[in-house]
């Protein structure tokens, strides 16, 4: 059954610590995305990647880093430079064959600060 | 600067009646619009979309209307069912997808 798997579902970070959120897809999609959702807010784009070994900053990339070593995987690292990391993080993917392909989302990771 | 606006944070509708969710956008370069539905602790799921060359798209109980001159789109759900209670995100696509803040729909028994 194809889809996007995000792990862990809940994650706690100590002050000054880097944490990495996992995102894996088996949809054979070229493009992958990371969004952040805060209460009462829409989805804000952190980073996106349209091809392996290439990625671009979204609207709120500061304090985050990503890698795209495999087509299936797009991990997000929340660094200590991100001063307000508490949020719900969503990973998504889409097929680039059609410009209008809707994005498929994982079930998210909720990150909290200890 | 919000390019995609959903001005109603929440909406309550009686079961069986029509639910109308609204969305406004500012960028005339958007050429594709999408609606997503989101349950708590889950990711959004794609619901329905419309190209800017159309003014209506229908899929079962869901219809999306696009008024390009007013830069406004709406999602109609009829009849509304209890399982429709969720947060609905409007999104607009140009060179990238921009999401609205969402509208929480409550279907009342």
């Amino acid at each position: 059954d194809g889809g996007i798997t995000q792990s862990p579902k809940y994650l706690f970070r100590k002050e000054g610590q880097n944490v990495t959120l996992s995102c894996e897809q088996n949809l054979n999609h070229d493009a992958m995305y990371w969004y952040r959702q805060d209460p009462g807010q829409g989805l804000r784009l952190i980073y996106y990647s349209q091809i392996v070994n290439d990625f671009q900053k979204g609207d709120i990339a500061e304090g985050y880093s990503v890698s795209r070593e495999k087509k299936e995987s797009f991990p997000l690292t929340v660094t200590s430079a991100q001063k307000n990391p508490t949020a719900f993080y969503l990973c998504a993917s889409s097929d680039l064959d059609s410009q209008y392909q809707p994005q498929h989302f994982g079930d998210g990771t909720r990150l909290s600060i200890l | 600067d919000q390019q995609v606006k959903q001005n109603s944070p929440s909406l309550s509708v009686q079961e069986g009646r029509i639910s109308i969710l609204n969305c406004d956008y500012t960028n005339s370069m958007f050429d594709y619009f999408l609606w997503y539905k989101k349950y708590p602790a889950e990711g959004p799921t794609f619901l329905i979309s419309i190209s800017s060359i159309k003014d209506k798209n229908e899929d079962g109980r869901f219809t999306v209307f696009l008024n390009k001159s007013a830069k406004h789109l709406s999602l109609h759900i009829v009849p509304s069912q209890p399982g429709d209670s969720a947060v609905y995100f409007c999104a607009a696509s140009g060179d990238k997808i921009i999401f609205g803040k969402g509208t929480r729909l409550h279907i009342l028994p």
Side-chain angles (χ1 to χ4, degrees):
Chain A
D1 193 25
I4 298 178
T5 302
Q6 289 187 242
S7 62
K9 197 167 182 67
Y10 300 96
L11 187 59
F12 298 92
R13 193 191 91 168
K14 294 181 180 179
E15 294 286 344
Q17 186 181 46
N18 292 355
V19 291
T20 297
L21 285 61
S22 170
C23 178
E24 303 279 332
Q25 56 101 357
N26 60 4
L27 299 165
N28 200 34
H29 284 167
D30 291 301
M32 296 187 75
Y33 311 81
W34 274 105
Y35 291 92
R36 169 178 172 144
Q37 186 188 15
D38 293 283
Q41 298 293 319
L43 306 180
R44 293 185 291 168
L45 183 64
I46 304 173
Y47 267 98
Y48 65 102
S49 169
Q50 295 181 318
I51 195 170
V52 173
N53 291 324
D54 189 38
F55 46 83
Q56 285 78 40
K57 292 182 179 180
D59 301 317
I60 55 165
E62 186 175 351
Y64 300 97
S65 66
V66 293
S67 63
R68 187 87 187 276
E69 296 177 3
K70 298 185 302 182
K71 186 176 184 178
E72 303 80 19
S73 179
F74 192 40
L76 173 74
T77 297
V78 184
T79 74
S80 57
Q82 174 47 247
K83 298 306 178 188
N84 185 24
T86 298
F88 189 55
Y89 291 87
L90 286 161
C91 178
S93 71
S94 68
D95 195 336
L96 283 179
D97 285 349
S98 168
Q99 177 187 356
Y100 306 124
Q101 189 79 11
Q103 296 184 0
H104 297 252
F105 286 84
D107 282 341
T109 293
R110 186 165 297 281
L111 176 62
S112 301
I113 296 300
L114 288 177
Chain B
D1 179 30
Q2 276 186 268
Q3 296 188 61
V4 178
K5 298 179 184 179
Q6 294 178 257
N7 291 320
S8 298
S10 66
L11 175 68
S12 295
V13 174
Q14 207 76 35
E15 182 179 354
R17 306 292 288 268
I18 183 170
S19 295
I20 300 176
L21 295 96
N22 294 303
C23 179
D24 297 294
Y25 62 96
T26 58
N27 190 342
S28 57
M29 299 302 291
F30 289 139
D31 55 5
Y32 199 67
F33 303 89
L34 310 96
W35 284 94
Y36 289 81
K37 175 180 180 179
K38 183 183 181 302
Y39 292 118
E42 294 183 9
T45 56
F46 169 71
L47 197 57
I48 192 169
S49 61
I50 187 167
S51 165
S52 60
I53 62 173
K54 296 187 174 182
D55 55 16
K56 177 183 176 181
N57 188 27
E58 191 172 355
D59 183 3
R61 296 187 298 114
F62 303 92
T63 303
V64 56
F65 295 92
L66 175 63
N67 182 334
K68 283 184 65 179
S69 61
K71 296 190 178 68
H72 176 84
L73 65 155
S74 61
L75 174 67
H76 293 213
I77 307 173
V78 55
S80 298
Q81 298 176 353
D84 296 331
S85 293
V87 176
Y88 290 79
F89 288 100
C90 169
S93 176
D95 57 346
K96 59 181 178 179
I97 292 182
I98 308 292
F99 287 84
K101 292 185 177 183
T103 296
R104 184 176 300 277
L105 176 65
H106 300 271
I107 303 302
L108 306 170

